[in-house]
Amino acid sequence: MTLSRRSFIRTLGGTGVVLAAGTVGLSQCDRMPAEAVSAWQGPDADLTDARERMLSWAILAPNPHNMQPWIADLRTPGVITLICDLSRLLPETDPFGRQIMIGLGAFLELLQMAAIEDSYRADVVYFPEGAYPEGKVGSRPFARVILTKAADAARDPLFVQIPARRTNRSPYAADRPVDSAHAAAISAAFDTSRRGNGTVTLRTDAEPVDRLRKIAIDAMQTELQTRRTHKESIDRLRVGASEISSHRDGISLHGPMF
């Protein structure tokens, strides 16, 4: 069964009752359409397929321009095969698919967290049919998740934060240093939840911070001042409750000021 991506996560097989992620933008300017944020309430109580419960959490993953570029193949019992939806790439602002791949990785991370909550171990095979060509996202699966019952699996403490995630478009206070307790909490959360060999480093000294800030500002100005990249983002703006409700993807803008 292939379902409309405007209403559901696109799936192959399964019951097709997984909710769409919608968008969450500026906090409390006005109310988002209820149907656009319903997935943030967690899986429907009637879901009987554990894989669909896991996917209900995974679709809340941050991803570039909220394009939700994932397809889940559920036709093999106990397995979720994940494919990138090539119709939802960003060829101008993300020509090499780097941001899309980061979003797919976030989706996979949340899926693994949700599997543990449902007493499953999720073993991931990356690129089971071969890697993508360098610099190009392809039609082959980017991951195959094999699920095994594991009631004693250690839960990830960050799971409870999944529905709390929001896109914060408030002004960034560049003159306020990172609170030391906040920095310690970020490092502690990473150390507790990580499953690989990565590390997290927080830099607060002026030279690297100023240098990285300049790179970010210059990059944003280039994207906004180049017509083709700017237009790609404009085409994906969803302004107001009606557009947000009908599209369920893209960059949401809502509230009286808009």
Side-chain angles (χ1 to χ4, degrees):
M1 178 186 299
T2 302
L3 301 170
S4 167
R5 65 176 65 90
R6 288 189 177 183
S7 300
F8 304 92
I9 179 176
R10 191 174 177 190
T11 63
L12 306 175
T15 65
V17 293
V18 179
L19 294 171
T23 57
V24 175
L26 295 175
S27 61
Q28 305 305 319
C29 282
D30 65 348
R31 289 191 176 276
M32 291 284 280
E35 65 272 19
V37 293
S38 54
W40 296 83
Q41 308 305 313
D44 190 277
D46 295 334
L47 287 180
T48 57
D49 189 329
R51 298 173 299 171
E52 291 182 335
R53 293 194 294 272
M54 299 168 198
L55 290 168
S56 294
W57 292 113
I59 58 177
L60 302 181
N63 60 101
H65 282 30
N66 192 35
M67 293 308 296
Q68 303 176 49
W70 33 69
I71 301 171
D73 186 340
L74 306 179
R75 291 175 293 188
T76 301
V79 174
I80 304 174
T81 300
L82 296 170
I83 306 161
C84 181
D85 186 340
L86 300 183
S87 71
R88 304 183 74 71
L89 301 181
L90 298 166
E92 300 297 343
T93 55
D94 185 32
F96 300 110
R98 176 181 177 274
Q99 294 178 51
I100 288 289
M101 290 305 299
I102 291 173
L104 296 177
F107 180 93
L108 189 57
E109 179 77 4
L110 268 59
L111 180 63
Q112 291 179 283
M113 289 185 188
I116 295 171
E117 289 293 312
D118 223 331
S119 299
Y120 283 87
R121 185 181 76 245
D123 295 315
V124 181
V125 179
Y126 299 98
F127 300 105
E129 297 178 13
Y132 297 149
E134 184 175 351
K136 185 175 180 63
V137 177
S139 58
R140 302 169 186 163
F142 64 87
R144 180 163 292 137
V145 182
I146 302 168
L147 300 168
T148 308
K149 269 292 186 181
D152 58 345
R155 293 183 172 181
D156 194 312
L158 292 180
F159 176 80
V160 296
Q161 301 301 326
I162 292 176
R165 186 187 67 80
R166 296 292 185 271
T167 298
N168 187 344
R169 297 193 178 99
S170 300
Y172 177 73
D175 58 338
R176 289 176 52 189
V178 176
D179 181 85
S180 59
H182 189 187
I186 292 173
S187 297
F190 179 85
D191 290 338
T192 302
S193 65
R194 67 179 180 177
R195 284 181 285 273
N197 296 319
T199 60
V200 60
T201 301
L202 300 176
R203 298 296 299 268
T204 58
D205 37 323
E207 190 281 325
V209 170
D210 289 344
R211 178 164 46 86
L212 291 172
R213 182 180 291 129
K214 183 178 186 305
I215 291 172
I217 292 172
D218 289 348
M220 193 65 195
Q221 288 179 338
T222 298
E223 185 171 312
L224 290 175
Q225 294 170 4
T226 303
R227 186 182 184 280
R228 57 185 174 79
T229 55
H230 190 201
K231 185 176 186 301
E232 185 171 74
S233 297
I234 292 296
D235 288 345
R236 286 154 182 80
L237 281 181
R238 313 305 184 207
V239 182
S242 177
E243 281 204 358
I244 292 169
S245 180
S246 63
H247 287 282
R248 310 283 283 279
D249 65 3
I251 305 167
S252 65
L253 298 176
H254 64 110
M257 69 187 77
F258 293 108

